[in-house]
Amino acid sequence: TGCPPPSRNYYTDEAKSFSVGWIATWSVLCFLSTLLTIITFLIKPSRFEYPWRPIVYLSVCFNLHAIGYFFALILGRTIITCPGNEYVTTTISWDWEHVPCLLVFGFLYYSMMAAFLWWLTLTLSWFLASGLKWSNEAIGHLAPFYHVISWVIPLLMVISLVAARVVSADELTGVCFIVR
C-alpha cells in the first residue's frame, strides 16, 4: 500500500534509495569500528584510564547510534514514517502505531546527544590532564559526575522533545527526528 505522496514531494525515489544505501554503509562502518574499540576496552580496561576513558563511552554511543539506524532499516520506511498510511507529523495525536517512530527517534537522538556530552567530557579531561596537570586518579574521581551528566541529560532531552511534539518523519532518510 504505502504512504500517500506528501503534498510537496521534495525527493525522488532514487534519492531515497541512495540515502538508504548511504546510511546503511556508514552505519556498518561505524558499528564495526566502534565495536573494535569496545572489544579492546573489554580485553584490557586498564588501557583506558582517564583522561582517555571517555573514548570508550563515545564508541558505545556511536555503536548504539548505528544500531538505531539498523533498527530503522530493518523495520522499513513505511512502518516508521507512515503508520496507518499517514505521515508522522507534529500535528497528529500519538498512537501505539507511532511507537516505532518514537523508538527510532529516541535511540538516535539519545545516542547522539550522549556522544556530544562524552566528547565534551573527553575534552574537559584532556584539559585537566594537560592544561592543569591533574593526575589520572584525580580526573577519575569525577567519573560519577561525568556519567550523570552524559547519560541523564540526553534522556531528559528525549522526554521533553517527545512531550513538546517536535518529532516528525523525515521523508529522505526514512527515520523520525526533530522538525522546526
Side-chain angles (χ1 to χ4, degrees), residues 115-153:
F116 291 161
L117 290 172
W118 278 114
W119 178 258
L120 182 64
T121 301
L122 177 64
T123 58
L124 174 64
S125 296
W126 280 344
F127 170 72
L128 293 174
S130 63
L132 300 181
K133 306 298 183 206
W134 283 30
S135 68
N136 292 355
E137 294 81 18
I139 297 169
H141 286 313
L142 296 175
F145 173 73
Y146 297 153
H147 283 278
V148 168
I149 295 295
S150 298
W151 297 122
V152 174
I153 289 176

Side-chain angles (χ1 to χ4, degrees), residues 155-175:
L155 179 63
L156 296 175
M157 291 174 72
V158 167
I159 292 168
S160 64
L161 289 169
V162 170
R165 303 177 58 76
V166 294
V167 178
S168 185
D170 181 5
E171 180 189 353
L172 179 63
T173 60
V175 299

Side-chain angles (χ1 to χ4, degrees), residues 71-73 75-83 88 100-101 104 169 174-176:
F71 180 65
L73 293 170
L75 285 180
R77 175 185 305 274
T78 303
I79 291 174
I80 293 173
T81 63
C82 189
V88 177
C101 171
V104 166
V175 299
C176 290

